[in-house]
Amino acid sequence: MDKAKGNYVGPEKEESNYAYKIAPIAAAFEDCLQYFEQSCTIMESNPDAWESIYSLVNGCFSKFREWGHATKTPSRSLDYALRKSSRLQETTKSLLDDLLVTLHTTRENLQDATLAPVTPASPQIMEPSMGYFPVQSGDGEQQALSRASSDSGSSIQQLTEDLEETVNCLVKLIPALQDPAPQDVYDGRATHLEAIKDIELATEMFPKAPSSLIRRLGFSNWKRRQYFESLDSRSHLARLSDSKRKGRILGNDDEHVHDIGFYTTSNFQTRPSRIGYSQHEISSSPGTLSAGPMSVNDSVFSEQDYFGSRSATSVAESDRLVGQRRYDVPKPPVLLRPGIIFDCPFCGQEIIYGVHIGSTADWERHVLTDLEPYQCTFDDCLRADKTFGIKEDWFRHEMENHRLATVWVCDSCNYEVSEREDIELHLSEKHKETITADNLSAMVLLGERHSGTAVSYQSCPFCGLSKLPSEVLKTHIADHLEQLALLSIQNDSESHNFYSPQIENATADNKVKFALLNDFVQEQCGYFWQPSREQANNSTADSNVQFVEDSDDEAVGQDIKFQQVQPEINSRSQRPPMQRRGDSWMTKVNTFLEKQNVDQPRPDLWKSKVESFLERQITQEEPQSEPAKFDAIGEPVDHPGQDAAMLPPTLIGPLRPFRTQPPPRNADFVGREGDLARIHKMLLVPGSICILSGIGGVGKTSAAVEYTYRYEASYSYIFWISAETAISCADTYSLIATQFSLADNDTMPDQDRLVTLSREFLEQTDKKWLLIFDNVYKWTDVQEYFPLDPCNTQGSVLITARNCELIKSPKCQIMELGALSLDEGRQMLLLSTQPGLDLDHLRSHPEYKLAGEIASLAEKLPLALAHIAGYIQVSGCTLTDFVQLWNERRRSTRSSTHIANPLILSTDKALETVWNIGLREVTSDARELLNILAFLDSEMIQRKLLVGEHAEPSLDFLHLDQAFRYKRMITELNRRRLITVQSQDDEEVLGIHRSLQQKILQDLGKDPQRREEVFAQAFALIRKRFPLPSPIQVPEPEKWPACKEYLPHVLHLQKVVMEYLPSIKPSVALTRLLSDGGINLWERGMTSEGLRLLRSAEALLDKLACKEDQLRANIHVIIALLVQDEGLSHIAESRDRISQALQIRKTYKEQTPVGNYTRNDEILLHNAWSDYGCVLLQYDKYEEAEPIFRQCLSKYREWGSEEELPYEYYKFNHHTAHCRMYHHDFAEAIRLAQEGLRHITLATGQSSATNKTRFDLACIVLQSGDTQQALDLHKSVLEANLRQHGKFNFLTLQSYYTVGALCAYSGSLIDAERWMRKALTLSQSRPISWSEAAVARTEFHLSQVLHEQGKDFEEAEALASRAKAALARLLPLGDPLGVVEVGDELALFDHLQPVFDGRFTGRALLKYVSKKV
């Protein structure tokens, strides 16, 4: 070592060191950390000797660790980020090398000084075990040590100064390293003119995009190609020098994985992918990787969780606009299987399957990150050429810099303006006592922020599609950018060496093609088999054809031999026969192979093998033997006559069904053959409904999941619906429409429309379908999702519910699910704790009897047995140990009966004992997480909800920087079977059983302080993610995707606070959260759930006894608007609440200083005035209401123009039009209504509000006497309602009736009868869809139509009788109209309707409510 020159190359940094090859910066960082630690340890051992420099070295150490954290160096992220910035990369490496040399020299000098020879006062022999320093040192020894330290002190002092300087240089680079700009020029001979080809291709792909944007994106594609060509050359040289590394399997000798701080794991789960292989082809082999949640290495590869799957809408739009085939992410260069190691051809990084990626979906996200496809679409951007690898980073940049307006806010009085000059003027005038000329600029800068106003609908710059909310816009534009970036590798993929099978990776490429071929064979043959447990444990038994490699010496044209894999049942009599398909088979084979570019060396091998295999399947004659018969529990029987439909579908059906929201199959599921067969028998006949009920933990959901897989071949479609909350039920049901692209791509349908389209699909399809509603509480929760006449469809419905009494229906068959049998309990426990056991020899297992004893103790409940198996696996105890522990715990367990909640009391004693045993040994972090999960929705707990940039100390263990800590927690909880971990839409989600949640809440109820702490943690997580509503209570539909995602957690938190643990201390913040949830539900028309949250928020405010008048006013307003839809019984409540809200707003204005009264406060006040005017109209007090509306108009004009505030001007024109109608000023009323229609269209597009405004315009036209024009308008409204909401929505039913009423007025009585009958028929199938008053009016009017036609006298009388009875009940609730003339009785029914929802669809009412005769 030459210390003077600094040419140190230590043992940790040999050129052959693998870590330095794949991640030199991360490796150097780890070595520097080790030297820092060693140096500090030496100095800490003798602090007196090194006091002068210890603080400096330790400070440098801390600063260096922070540098690594800030730049994400330990996870290899910095190496990855600098792959296109060679100068910055070399500078960083050079500084780290200098630091490494200095640290090594410092450590050596410290050791030399410490071990310098000393002359003790008396002879003493140092024992080897005493290490560097004697256990006890005399004064003479200490003095000698001090002298040795002093001799080298000046040298070490200089080294420490060098350390400080180098570390400071690294710190100064942090901003550049956090966001490095790619500056490399990959080919000195290349010119920008070569980018013309890429620009032309981009223009062809997006002809509607601005030319300036196309030039930038085309140039970026050219730079991508330059980079990949450069990387290709380097990769080729690397392969020549290390040809055996690609595609090898990770083994015991692969110690390099741990060289630079990586951790490997054997626990991962496969996530669904839209590319690559089917799931069974990349499933892990238990011999290599054990079952459990995926734990991807905390490296650059784990940063890609932000990617979500593209929406079906955006994909369809892209396909339609481009008119070309879509480009997919290329397949991996090797066949993915556990432990496989390969170099990524797009970044040069080494990837280990199961460590860095866990599925082909991970591979796809990694490639997209390498491509950096996302780029700012605004040409005036200061960073217009910056490319992003992560979608969220790109869209955040656009949102913060271009798509959100900048505003300035005065923090003292919350005054908000949109211009910098206005805030300067405000600060100078209103706060001149505290604001001076010196600090004015600083205060303006502090007040600058992004607008709280919601992002409006925007257009796509590529295709011109407009009216896109922000979430849809992000996915839509991202899809365009991804397609363009993929074009850069697609065009030249055949010429790129890294993706050509002609080089040494021909074997790997052949494996990829083989995987594709296997999919093709499955598709064409319909040859799908459910593997047995033994086959599932064999990673080579998952395909229909296999390849057998020859020796590894053959690099090109490796022989691939095909052989048929034997299915679970080998008898030919039990195999589905292969159908003869003639020459079309060979045509399909040749077409398939041509698509796969099989023109490489030895193509004849491919074709001959494939043709030979398929020909054998076609020509092979099946013996004419009797198909195998099975009894109720799946055992073969010899007697004939059994219904073939009862056979397990893997023996009778060739195809797998299409699924939505499919839960993963439980690999530990055992038994229930008889139960599953009975379920199938109940569902055999189309139109059947089976309710699967049972106590908590008995396995209802697991049985339903297993049924969908065990009998999947009986159905073409299987739709899984999560029915625990109204939001999740509607959302998962709507997937039917979205997955089949049933909605019009040119519109943005609301959820009602998607539900209707989904239901109509079930009614019309001729394929057999199965609909599963999981965890239903009562029948009315799911009734609206059933087809109108299930018996006339091809489908069946399976419902899981705890209490079948709540969902009784004459159409349902109920099956009570009991506990497992003793043998099934034994089997489940033994197979779960000892995977791989031979089922045939299970009875001879030495612990067979003991397993039965434990199953009996657990009352044979699957949930209890699963938790016991998890405990045994993690703790390592024997079954004997567990029985002893159970008996001890059961004796010491005291039942807790002081909790009054009936759900908590229903917890089974067996589960109670299991949890008392298992939860005690959960680590503190995992238990803390488990406690938080008890306050969240049990089915869909998103990782991004839990993990984030938390500032709260109590959530530090869930901080984004603690990713490894989080993974350890969920791995432990998953191994203990306390939670489930799965992937949904490429996102990790957790699940927890509801019974376990109740147990945890019961325990927390005994410790008030701990209960409050955990509740605060859960509340903080939800509050951060749940969007805030508009401060002026304006609907913001673009926020609904985020609201929908987290509303189940808000609803569950409300249930915990109001029902399970009412002793939790309320707070204003909690009240605001519940109120925000209620407001969002109001915007979506979900009345019952919205009222539940808002009334709970109001009850908490009452408990708090605090002022918070503005919050209370907000709640009053929204509840008033919601109860209006519930009919006349709530009209008085609506009036009172609006009056209270108005009084609060007025009082607040009177008590607030002028400088503190903001624009938003003024908007809320006049919104309350406008709402109060609408209440007056409900009571026909139009003369009082009209001045209020005109007063609001004067304010609107102060605030802005019609183009700036279209919604406010709409309210004035719409409401005032009705006032003029009351005055019989029909010309002005129609003009105002038309203006209102224009304004609402400008504000919301062709929305539901627009259609309701058109409905009111048609009603005004009718009152003017133009019946035909009104009828034409109402027919257009009906068409729009059908398109937007479907036929069951109350707006559509109202349109059906109105069209019928106007037909009656026009003399078309047959048409009138038809429309009115349609409305009544639909409302009777969905009783909750239409109000009693609306139904009564339709029945009465239909009776009149029948009388006029002189037919069906008895029916007409019955209709009239029912309608009059309803009228008698409803009249006292509203504002009585008084006596009407003979023939005008229909006016009484009209007056029961809301003023803006159908009151004026008749011709007789206006003369009774208007003072003008």
Side-chain angles (χ1 to χ4, degrees):
M1 179 182 71
D2 188 351
K3 295 180 183 179
K5 295 182 180 180
N7 296 328
Y8 162 72
V9 179
E12 296 89 345
K13 193 190 174 185
E14 298 175 357
E15 288 303 320
S16 61
N17 190 304
Y18 190 76
Y20 274 90
K21 288 184 180 181
I22 61 173
I25 294 178
F29 176 79
E30 288 295 325
D31 285 347
C32 288
L33 283 182
Q34 293 178 17
Y35 280 129
F36 260 126
E37 290 175 354
Q38 294 169 6
S39 300
C40 289
T41 300
I42 294 173
M43 288 186 285
E44 287 169 358
S45 301
N46 191 7
D48 295 335
W50 307 114
E51 181 179 3
S52 60
I53 62 172
Y54 173 74
S55 60
L56 182 59
V57 174
N58 193 51
C60 290
F61 186 18
S62 300
K63 193 180 296 185
F64 184 64
R65 282 198 305 262
E66 289 299 320
W67 176 84
H69 173 75
T71 58
K72 301 181 180 179
T73 301
S75 63
R76 284 172 50 183
S77 295
L78 185 57
D79 285 283
Y80 180 81
L82 297 180
R83 68 193 189 282
K84 298 181 182 179
S85 305
S86 57
R87 283 184 295 175
L88 186 57
Q89 184 185 51
E90 289 302 321
T91 300
T92 307
K93 287 166 60 178
S94 176
L95 287 171
L96 288 172
D97 288 343
D98 291 345
L99 183 63
L100 190 60
V101 171
T102 305
L103 284 167
H104 182 272
T105 307
T106 301
R107 187 194 68 177
E108 293 297 317
N109 286 2
L110 288 170
Q111 288 180 340
D112 290 346
T114 302
L115 297 176
V118 297
T119 305
S122 60
Q124 180 178 353
I125 298 176
M126 183 182 295
E127 296 294 335
S129 61
M130 296 176 67
Y132 286 131
F133 304 104
V135 176
Q136 296 177 343
S137 298
D139 292 340
E141 293 170 327
Q142 186 63 43
Q143 292 172 3
L145 186 60
S146 299
R147 285 196 302 272
S149 302
S150 177
D151 293 340
S152 59
S154 58
S155 173
I156 294 178
Q157 183 67 37
Q158 180 62 44
L159 289 171
T160 55
E161 292 174 0
D162 293 343
L163 284 180
E164 184 179 29
E165 181 181 358
T166 305
V167 171
N168 287 337
C169 288
L170 287 169
V171 170
K172 291 177 181 178
L173 287 177
I174 287 178
L177 295 175
Q178 287 178 331
D179 190 11
Q183 300 292 339
D184 289 356
V185 177
Y186 306 105
D187 188 349
R189 297 168 297 175
T191 65
H192 291 182
L193 294 176
E194 295 180 11
I196 293 177
K197 175 185 175 183
D198 295 277
I199 294 173
E200 290 175 348
L201 288 171
T203 303
E204 180 181 349
M205 180 176 277
F206 304 114
K208 297 182 180 180
S211 58
S212 55
L213 174 60
I214 288 297
R215 282 196 299 272
R216 285 194 295 111
L217 296 178
F219 187 74
S220 296
N221 255 14
W222 173 73
K223 289 179 68 177
R224 285 188 188 96
R225 289 197 299 106
Q226 293 293 314
Y227 169 70
F228 289 135
E229 288 172 3
S230 170
L231 183 64
D232 181 21
S233 301
R234 285 179 280 160
S235 300
H236 180 59
L237 293 175
R239 283 195 297 269
L240 293 177
S241 63
D242 194 8
S243 61
K244 292 186 178 181
R245 235 170 23 92
K246 179 181 287 291
R248 74 186 188 281
I249 298 294
L250 179 66
N252 295 331
D253 58 339
D254 287 295
E255 306 260 337
H256 63 269
V257 175
H258 303 278
D259 286 347
I260 54 173
F262 295 167
Y263 71 90
T264 58
T265 178
S266 59
N267 299 324
F268 77 97
Q269 75 175 13
T270 301
R271 295 194 283 180
S273 171
R274 65 177 187 269
I275 67 163
Y277 319 107
S278 57
Q279 185 169 343
H280 67 272
E281 290 170 87
I282 56 173
S283 61
S284 64
S285 169
T288 307
L289 300 173
S290 62
M294 183 175 71
S295 184
V296 178
N297 182 34
D298 184 20
S299 67
V300 63
F301 303 99
S302 63
E303 288 187 6
Q304 299 144 23
D305 293 338
Y306 300 105
F307 287 101
S309 60
R310 306 183 186 97
S311 69
T313 302
S314 65
V315 171
E317 289 161 353
S318 300
D319 287 342
R320 184 181 68 251
L321 290 165
V322 177
Q324 302 172 354
R325 70 179 181 90
R326 289 183 57 79
Y327 298 109
D328 293 327
V329 172
K331 299 282 185 179
V334 298
L335 182 66
L336 296 182
R337 59 187 186 275
I340 191 73
I341 305 174
F342 63 95
D343 292 335
C344 172
F346 302 104
C347 66
Q349 294 278 327
E350 181 185 79
I351 296 178
I352 305 174
Y353 185 78
V355 177
H356 304 130
I357 62 173
S359 68
T360 49
D362 291 338
W363 162 255
E364 179 183 2
R365 288 192 297 274
H366 172 75
V367 172
L368 286 176
T369 306
D370 291 341
L371 288 176
E372 294 184 357
Y374 313 107
Q375 191 168 349
C376 184
T377 55
F378 292 84
D379 290 326
D380 58 349
C381 180
L382 296 176
R383 309 186 69 192
D385 295 327
K386 163 74 176 175
T387 55
F388 298 85
I390 297 177
K391 186 193 306 182
E392 294 295 333
D393 291 346
W394 155 72
F395 199 66
R396 188 182 303 113
H397 162 82
E398 290 209 351
M399 290 287 286
E400 293 178 353
N401 294 280
H402 307 292
R403 299 188 183 276
L404 281 180
T406 301
V407 296
W408 285 264
V409 179
C410 173
D411 292 327
S412 301
C413 59
N414 292 327
Y415 180 71
E416 180 180 311
V417 294
S418 57
E419 299 293 338
R420 180 187 178 96
E421 293 77 9
D422 293 340
I423 196 66
E424 291 177 348
L425 182 63
H426 170 81
L427 292 172
S428 302
E429 293 181 352
K430 302 295 183 182
H431 305 285
K432 55 187 176 183
E433 300 84 3
T434 57
I435 303 298
T436 65
D438 295 334
N439 63 10
L440 177 61
S441 298
M443 295 302 296
V444 170
L445 185 62
L446 288 174
E448 183 178 354
R449 62 199 63 175
H450 297 301
S451 172
T453 306
V455 181
S456 60
Y457 289 102
Q458 301 184 48
S459 301
C460 171
F462 293 98
C463 61
L465 195 66
S466 59
K467 302 297 182 183
L468 296 174
S470 59
E471 276 302 314
V472 176
L473 183 77
K474 176 178 71 173
T475 306
H476 178 87
I477 296 180
D479 182 70
H480 288 321
L481 294 171
E482 290 168 8
Q483 286 295 297
L484 184 61
L486 288 169
L487 181 65
S488 67
I489 58 175
Q490 202 73 30
N491 281 342
D492 297 330
S493 63
E494 295 179 4
S495 62
H496 281 183
N497 288 337
F498 62 73
Y499 203 60
S500 172
Q502 295 183 7
I503 313 185
E504 70 276 358
N505 63 341
T507 299
D509 195 59
N510 281 340
K511 293 176 182 178
V512 175
K513 295 185 184 300
F514 170 78
L516 298 175
L517 177 61
N518 186 52
D519 285 340
F520 170 78
V521 172
Q522 289 181 337
E523 177 185 351
Q524 299 303 320
C525 298
Y527 205 51
F528 292 90
W529 289 94
Q530 291 296 338
S532 65
R533 183 178 296 272
E534 290 77 8
Q535 286 175 312
N537 292 338
N538 186 348
S539 61
T540 64
D542 284 330
S543 61
N544 297 314
V545 289
Q546 287 184 333
F547 63 88
V548 180
E549 299 183 10
D550 290 340
S551 66
D552 294 336
D553 297 334
E554 295 187 37
V556 180
Q558 189 169 19
D559 190 14
I560 298 180
K561 303 175 183 178
F562 291 94
Q563 63 184 26
Q564 184 175 343
V565 176
Q566 295 302 314
E568 178 178 351
I569 301 177
N570 294 318
S571 171
R572 283 191 173 185
S573 64
Q574 297 167 357
R575 296 209 313 259
M578 302 290 294
Q579 301 297 325
R580 296 178 180 269
R581 303 191 186 183
D583 295 337
S584 61
W585 274 87
M586 294 301 105
T587 302
K588 290 182 179 180
V589 170
N590 290 328
T591 302
F592 171 81
L593 294 177
E594 287 170 4
K595 287 182 179 179
Q596 303 308 315
N597 297 320
V598 186
D599 53 0
Q600 310 301 338
R602 301 182 68 179
D604 56 318
L605 173 67
W606 274 87
K607 291 191 176 182
S608 64
K609 294 292 184 183
V610 175
E611 292 176 357
S612 174
F613 169 77
L614 294 179
E615 187 63 28
R616 287 199 303 272
Q617 308 311 312
I618 298 169
T619 60
Q620 187 170 277
E621 294 293 334
E622 296 292 333
Q624 304 298 318
S625 60
E626 181 79 14
K629 301 293 193 300
F630 293 80
D631 63 15
I633 61 171
E635 296 295 332
V637 295
D638 296 327
H639 58 275
Q642 184 173 353
D643 187 357
M646 293 302 296
L647 294 178
T650 52
L651 303 178
I652 63 173
L655 299 178
R656 287 175 177 169
F658 176 86
R659 295 173 180 263
T660 60
Q661 204 79 8
R665 192 173 190 176
N666 183 3
D668 295 329
F669 186 90
V670 297
R672 300 280 191 203
E673 279 81 2
D675 293 329
L676 297 176
R678 283 192 291 275
I679 294 172
H680 189 57
K681 187 174 182 179
M682 289 180 179
L683 297 176
L684 272 178
V685 179
S688 302
I689 302 173
C690 173
I691 299 177
L692 192 62
S693 67
I695 62 173
V698 79
K700 300 179 293 295
T701 299
S702 296
V705 171
E706 180 63 20
Y707 174 79
T708 67
Y709 287 100
R710 186 83 61 91
Y711 292 89
E712 63 178 2
S714 298
Y715 304 97
S716 296
Y717 308 120
I718 296 179
F719 306 117
W720 187 276
I721 313 299
S722 300
E724 185 166 9
T725 66
I727 291 92
S728 62
C729 191
D731 190 37
T732 51
Y733 187 84
S734 299
L735 288 176
I736 301 173
T738 56
Q739 291 296 317
F740 287 105
S741 302
L742 301 179
D744 188 348
N745 288 331
D746 294 329
T747 62
M748 295 298 297
D750 60 15
Q751 201 147 44
D752 283 344
R753 175 61 174 157
L754 293 175
V755 167
T756 298
L757 290 171
S758 301
R759 186 170 48 233
E760 290 175 350
F761 173 83
L762 299 179
E763 291 171 344
Q764 297 168 9
T765 182
D766 59 353
K767 305 287 187 183
K768 194 168 183 183
W769 51 263
L770 175 66
L771 195 62
I772 305 100
F773 291 98
D774 183 43
N775 195 35
V776 176
Y777 180 66
K778 58 182 182 295
W779 176 256
T780 53
D781 292 344
V782 295
Q783 184 180 7
E784 65 175 301
Y785 302 107
F786 280 74
L788 189 60
D789 186 2
C791 294
N792 287 330
T793 69
Q794 295 300 312
S796 303
V797 180
L798 178 62
I799 296 173
T800 69
R802 281 197 182 185
N803 190 350
C804 62
E805 297 297 324
L806 296 173
I807 53 175
K808 274 189 173 179
S809 169
K811 303 177 183 178
C812 298
Q813 302 179 73
I814 299 174
M815 176 177 166
E816 188 76 22
L817 194 66
L820 298 173
S821 68
L822 185 59
D823 283 344
E824 290 171 343
R826 284 193 185 101
Q827 184 180 352
M828 179 179 178
L829 186 60
L830 290 174
L831 291 176
S832 298
T833 56
Q834 303 173 44
L837 288 179
D838 187 353
L839 294 178
D840 295 334
H841 300 90
L842 202 62
R843 289 183 176 274
S844 61
H845 192 280
E847 294 182 309
Y848 181 77
K849 183 177 180 181
L850 199 56
E853 183 179 348
I854 294 177
S856 298
L857 291 173
E859 298 184 12
K860 295 164 286 188
L861 286 175
L863 181 62
L865 291 171
H867 290 333
I868 291 172
Y871 175 82
I872 291 174
Q873 280 190 311
V874 173
S875 66
C877 73
T878 65
L879 298 188
T880 303
D881 296 335
F882 184 83
V883 171
Q884 295 176 353
L885 185 60
W886 177 284
N887 293 330
E888 293 172 3
R889 189 63 58 199
R890 182 57 79 85
R891 285 193 296 269
S892 63
T893 300
R894 295 179 177 85
S895 60
S896 301
T897 57
H898 63 282
I899 302 295
N901 189 290
L903 292 178
I904 294 179
L905 279 176
S906 68
T907 304
D908 188 87
K909 291 182 179 179
L911 288 171
E912 190 81 28
T913 305
V914 170
W915 291 328
N916 285 337
I917 295 173
L919 293 179
R920 291 174 179 269
E921 298 189 14
V922 175
T923 58
S924 58
D925 274 356
R927 182 57 198 266
E928 191 168 4
L929 175 60
L930 202 60
N931 288 340
I932 293 175
L933 300 186
F935 287 90
L936 305 177
D937 179 65
S938 62
E939 292 187 342
M940 190 69 63
I941 305 171
Q942 305 88 343
R943 180 185 186 276
K944 62 185 178 183
L945 171 69
L946 300 172
V947 180
E949 297 281 353
H950 303 308
E952 299 88 347
S954 63
L955 295 175
D956 183 62
F957 74 114
L958 292 174
H959 195 277
L960 199 59
D961 293 338
Q962 302 287 332
F964 179 63
R965 190 176 177 184
Y966 170 79
K967 289 172 185 174
R968 283 190 304 186
M969 286 185 278
I970 64 170
T971 299
E972 177 188 354
L973 293 175
N974 190 49
R975 289 185 63 204
R976 289 182 180 274
R977 316 290 178 91
L978 297 173
I979 64 170
T980 59
V981 184
Q982 54 184 291
S983 177
Q984 205 154 80
D985 296 331
D986 290 339
E987 179 186 354
E988 181 183 87
V989 293
L990 310 183
I992 179 173
H993 200 279
R994 289 172 290 276
S995 299
L996 179 55
Q997 281 186 312
Q998 293 157 12
K999 159 65 179 174
I1000 295 171
L1001 293 175
Q1002 178 186 4
D1003 290 345
L1004 289 173
K1006 303 171 186 176
D1007 185 350
Q1009 181 178 352
R1010 183 67 186 130
R1011 176 195 64 207
E1012 297 295 333
E1013 292 171 353
V1014 177
F1015 173 77
Q1017 290 173 306
F1019 170 80
L1021 293 173
I1022 299 172
R1023 179 70 275 183
K1024 289 177 184 179
R1025 287 291 183 179
F1026 195 76
L1028 295 171
S1030 165
I1032 55 175
Q1033 296 184 318
V1034 174
E1036 296 176 312
E1038 65 274 8
K1039 289 184 178 179
W1040 176 246
C1043 293
K1044 178 178 65 175
E1045 196 169 3
Y1046 300 107
L1047 259 173
H1049 301 302
V1050 178
L1051 290 167
H1052 185 75
L1053 200 66
Q1054 180 268 344
K1055 185 179 290 186
V1056 170
V1057 172
M1058 305 304 292
E1059 299 178 24
Y1060 297 164
L1061 296 175
S1063 56
I1064 287 179
K1065 295 178 182 177
S1067 66
V1068 174
L1070 174 60
T1071 303
R1072 289 188 186 279
L1073 176 64
L1074 300 184
S1075 172
D1076 293 348
I1079 291 173
N1080 281 286
L1081 289 168
W1082 157 68
E1083 292 180 9
R1084 297 295 294 182
M1086 296 182 172
T1087 303
S1088 60
E1089 291 78 15
L1091 280 174
R1092 177 178 134 199
L1093 287 179
L1094 288 165
R1095 293 193 189 278
S1096 296
E1098 190 173 41
L1100 292 179
L1101 269 184
D1102 294 338
K1103 272 188 179 181
L1104 287 168
C1106 61
K1107 195 171 182 181
E1108 291 297 329
D1109 287 339
Q1110 291 293 80
L1111 177 57
R1112 190 178 291 275
N1114 293 340
I1115 295 173
H1116 277 319
V1117 170
I1118 304 302
I1119 290 181
L1121 295 175
L1122 282 170
V1123 298
Q1124 282 181 3
D1125 296 334
E1126 296 194 354
L1128 287 170
S1129 59
H1130 293 276
I1131 191 171
E1133 180 186 359
S1134 177
R1135 176 198 60 203
D1136 295 342
R1137 285 186 177 276
I1138 291 294
S1139 299
Q1140 292 179 54
L1142 178 59
Q1143 187 58 46
I1144 291 173
R1145 306 283 196 218
K1146 289 164 61 179
T1147 304
Y1148 180 75
K1149 181 177 182 179
E1150 294 168 358
Q1151 297 176 352
T1152 303
V1154 176
N1156 295 338
Y1157 195 72
T1158 67
R1159 165 91 167 268
N1160 286 347
D1161 295 329
E1162 196 170 31
I1163 291 174
L1164 289 173
L1165 172 61
H1166 284 81
N1167 282 347
W1169 272 116
S1170 181
D1171 293 335
Y1172 182 69
C1174 293
V1175 169
L1176 292 175
L1177 284 183
Q1178 296 290 351
Y1179 289 90
D1180 300 314
K1181 298 180 179 181
Y1182 56 92
E1183 291 181 320
E1184 297 179 38
E1186 187 170 2
I1188 293 175
F1189 298 142
R1190 296 196 179 277
Q1191 175 189 345
C1192 292
L1193 176 63
S1194 64
K1195 279 295 177 183
Y1196 300 157
R1197 287 171 173 165
E1198 290 180 17
W1199 297 338
S1201 65
E1202 296 179 7
E1203 288 71 23
E1204 294 173 317
L1205 302 169
Y1207 190 78
E1208 280 69 21
Y1209 283 91
Y1210 147 74
K1211 290 191 293 185
F1212 164 76
N1213 286 307
H1214 176 263
H1215 303 343
T1216 309
H1218 283 77
C1219 295
R1220 301 319 304 163
M1221 179 194 69
Y1222 275 102
H1223 282 289
H1224 288 229
D1225 186 0
F1226 296 117
E1228 180 65 9
I1230 292 174
R1231 186 192 69 81
L1232 289 170
Q1234 290 172 338
E1235 280 296 293
L1237 180 61
R1238 182 174 68 84
H1239 288 130
I1240 193 63
T1241 304
L1242 183 62
T1244 65
Q1246 294 300 324
S1247 64
S1248 177
T1250 301
N1251 211 38
K1252 290 179 69 175
T1253 305
R1254 188 177 288 108
F1255 180 93
D1256 290 336
L1257 169 61
C1259 290
I1260 295 175
V1261 170
L1262 175 65
Q1263 302 309 309
S1264 72
D1266 193 341
T1267 303
Q1268 185 57 48
Q1269 185 183 357
L1271 177 58
D1272 294 340
L1273 280 171
H1274 275 300
K1275 284 182 176 179
S1276 68
V1277 171
L1278 174 58
E1279 292 176 2
N1281 279 333
L1282 283 169
R1283 186 168 57 252
Q1284 290 180 349
H1285 306 295
K1287 58 188 177 184
F1288 293 101
N1289 185 271
F1290 77 94
L1291 294 173
T1292 307
L1293 298 177
Q1294 177 180 264
S1295 286
Y1296 275 129
Y1297 163 73
T1298 305
V1299 171
L1302 268 64
C1303 285
Y1305 298 142
S1306 302
S1308 302
L1309 298 180
I1310 296 177
D1311 289 340
E1313 179 185 353
R1314 177 169 58 88
W1315 289 114
M1316 291 181 190
R1317 286 192 185 278
K1318 181 77 169 178
L1320 289 174
T1321 301
L1322 292 173
S1323 68
Q1324 288 164 5
S1325 66
R1326 299 286 185 271
I1328 60 175
S1329 299
W1330 217 11
S1331 68
E1332 184 182 7
V1335 172
R1337 176 173 65 174
T1338 306
E1339 289 181 334
F1340 185 80
H1341 203 165
L1342 178 58
S1343 71
Q1344 290 184 326
V1345 170
L1346 293 176
H1347 276 300
E1348 288 186 51
Q1349 294 182 83
K1351 66 175 189 179
D1352 299 329
F1353 178 80
E1354 291 185 2
E1355 181 189 6
E1357 286 299 312
L1359 288 170
S1361 177
R1362 283 202 305 269
K1364 291 176 181 178
L1367 180 66
R1369 289 193 303 272
L1370 295 171
L1371 274 179
L1373 301 176
D1375 185 23
L1377 186 61
V1379 180
V1380 298
E1381 300 174 4
V1382 175
D1384 286 346
E1385 294 86 354
L1386 191 60
L1388 295 171
F1389 291 91
D1390 286 337
H1391 199 243
L1392 294 177
Q1393 318 304 319
V1395 68
F1396 299 141
D1397 284 319
R1399 178 174 292 182
F1400 292 100
T1401 58
R1403 297 190 299 189
L1405 175 63
L1406 187 60
K1407 65 182 179 183
Y1408 294 103
V1409 297
S1410 173
K1411 295 181 181 179
K1412 181 179 178 69
V1413 180

